[in-house]
C-alpha cells in the first residue's frame, strides 16, 4: 500500500495538512539502500523541533542496513519486531539527554521534559520522511539494557525508542500474520481529546 492510499484511508474532520494523515507505520520495507542526504534530511527536520530552554536533548544513533553495526541495532528489537524491521534501510536509536548546564550555572540541572522534546524531534523526523516518500515505524519493543551496553550509551541519556526508516514494500512480502496488520490505523473521535476550561474526560 502506498502513502497515497494511506492519505485517502484516514480522514480528518477538520482541514489539516495531508502529511498528518499520510504518515503511518507500515511494516513492509523494501530493503533498499538510503543515501546520506535522504537520511540526514530527517535529522535536519528533527533538529528544528521545539524543546524546553532550547535544550535540544535528542540524539540519534543509526546503522544502515548491511553496515558493520546493522546487526547490533537489529538485534536489539524483540523477535516479532525483527521479523519486519530486517528490511528497513536504516535503524535509529533515539536517546535523550536528561540534564544540562543552564546559562550562567556551573552545575547541570535536570531536563524535566527530555522525553517530550525527543518525542517532538521524532515526530518532525517522521513527518519529513513522509514528505520525502519514506516510511518510518517506531519500535518500543526492544532491549534497552542491551542497547546501553552495545551502543556504549552513558548514564545521563535516557533510551527512548528504536526507529525503522526505509522504503515501502509490498504487503504480500510480509509473513502472513503480519500482513493482517498492514494498514493505516484509525483514531478515536476528536471530541474525546479536548475539554474547555477543566478536565472533563471519561477516560
Ligand atoms: C513509542 C512507540 C512505540 C511503538 N512500538 C512499536 C513496536 O514495538 N512494534 C510495532 O510493531 N509498532 C510499534 N509502534 C507503532 C504503533 O503501534 C503505531 O504508531 C500506532 O498503532 C499508530 O499507528 P500509525 O503510526 O500507523 O498511525 C510504536 C509506536 C510508538 C509511537
Amino acid at each position: 500500500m502506498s502513502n497515497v492510499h494511506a492519505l485517502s484511508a484516514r480522514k480528518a474532520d477538520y482541514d489539516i495538512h495531508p502529511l498528518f494523515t499520510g504518515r503511518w507505520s507500515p511494516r513492509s520495507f523494501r530493503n533498499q539502500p538510503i543515501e546520506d542526504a535522504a537520511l540526514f534530511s530527517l535529522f535536519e527536520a528533527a533538529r528544528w523541533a521545539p524543546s524546553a530552554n532550547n535544550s535540544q536533548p535528542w540524539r540519534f544513533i543509526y546503522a544502515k542496513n548491511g553496515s558493520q553495526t546493522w546487526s547490533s541495532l537489529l538485534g536489539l528489537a524483540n523477535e516479532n519486531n525483527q521479523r519486519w524491521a530486517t528490511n528497513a534501510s536504516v535503524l535509529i536509536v533515539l536517546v535523550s539527554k536528561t540534564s544540562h548546564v543552564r546559562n550562567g550555572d556551573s552545575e547541570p540541572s535536570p531536563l524535566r521534559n527530555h522525553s517530550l522534546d525527543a518525542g517532538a524531534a521524532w515526530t518532525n523526523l517522521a513527518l519529513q520522511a513522509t514528505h520525502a516518500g519514506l516510511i518510518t515505524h517506531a519500535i518500543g519493543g526492544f532491549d534497552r539494557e542491551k542497547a546501553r551496553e552495545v551502543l556504549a550509551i552513558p548514564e545521563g541519556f535516557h533510551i527512548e525508542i528504536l526507529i525503522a526508516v526505509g522504503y515501502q514494500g509490498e504487503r504480500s512480502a510480509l509473513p502472513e500474520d503480519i500482513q493482517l496488520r498492514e494498514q493505516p490505523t484509525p483514531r478515536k473521535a476528536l471530541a474525546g481529546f479536548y475539554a474547555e476550561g477543566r478536565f472533563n474526560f471519561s477516560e
Side-chain angles (χ1 to χ4, degrees):
M1 188 181 290
S2 70
N3 277 337
V4 178
H5 263 96
L7 287 177
S8 60
R10 305 218 281 195
K11 287 250 175 291
D13 296 348
Y14 289 85
D15 194 24
I16 55 171
H17 196 283
L19 269 182
F20 294 108
T21 46
R23 184 218 56 80
W24 64 292
S25 305
R27 292 182 177 82
S28 188
F29 286 85
R30 210 189 310 144
N31 195 349
Q32 181 179 317
I34 186 168
E35 298 292 328
D36 278 350
L39 175 60
F40 296 159
S41 76
L42 306 184
F43 298 140
E44 179 70 63
R47 178 186 176 206
W48 294 100
S51 60
N53 277 103
N54 202 15
S55 53
Q56 304 162 65
W58 45 77
R59 304 287 183 270
F60 298 98
I61 303 164
Y62 74 89
K64 287 188 182 180
N65 200 334
S67 71
Q68 270 195 342
T69 47
W70 169 256
S71 56
S72 53
L73 264 78
L74 182 63
L76 300 175
N78 70 25
E79 241 172 78
N80 244 345
N81 287 322
Q82 279 193 38
R83 290 170 70 212
W84 53 266
T86 185
N87 288 319
S89 304
V90 59
L91 283 171
I92 302 167
V93 175
L94 170 56
V95 303
S96 62
K97 202 167 185 290
T98 58
S99 68
H100 83 156
V101 180
R102 293 206 162 86
N103 274 346
D105 287 1
S106 52
E107 291 300 311
S109 43
L111 285 167
R112 247 178 318 187
N113 296 301
H114 61 90
S115 284
L116 183 81
D117 295 343
W122 138 247
T123 302
N124 273 19
L125 182 155
L127 291 173
Q128 177 64 33
T130 305
H131 175 67
L134 291 158
I135 57 169
T136 57
H137 199 130
I139 300 172
F142 71 105
D143 189 332
R144 287 168 174 78
E145 269 175 40
K146 192 167 158 192
R148 192 172 289 284
E149 193 187 309
V150 171
L151 307 177
I153 300 167
E155 261 183 54
F157 288 84
H158 180 72
I159 301 174
E160 303 283 357
I161 49 168
L162 187 59
I163 304 166
V165 178
Y167 298 89
Q168 190 151 12
E170 294 298 322
R171 174 195 268 171
S172 56
L174 285 169
E176 245 171 59
D177 56 320
I178 304 181
Q179 279 183 38
L180 299 172
R181 303 169 66 191
E182 188 69 348
Q183 52 189 333
T185 51
R187 288 296 183 267
K188 295 176 185 174
L190 179 61
F193 291 119
Y194 61 82
E196 191 172 3
R198 62 176 283 271
F199 189 98
N200 185 18
F201 303 102
S202 58
E203 57 171 347

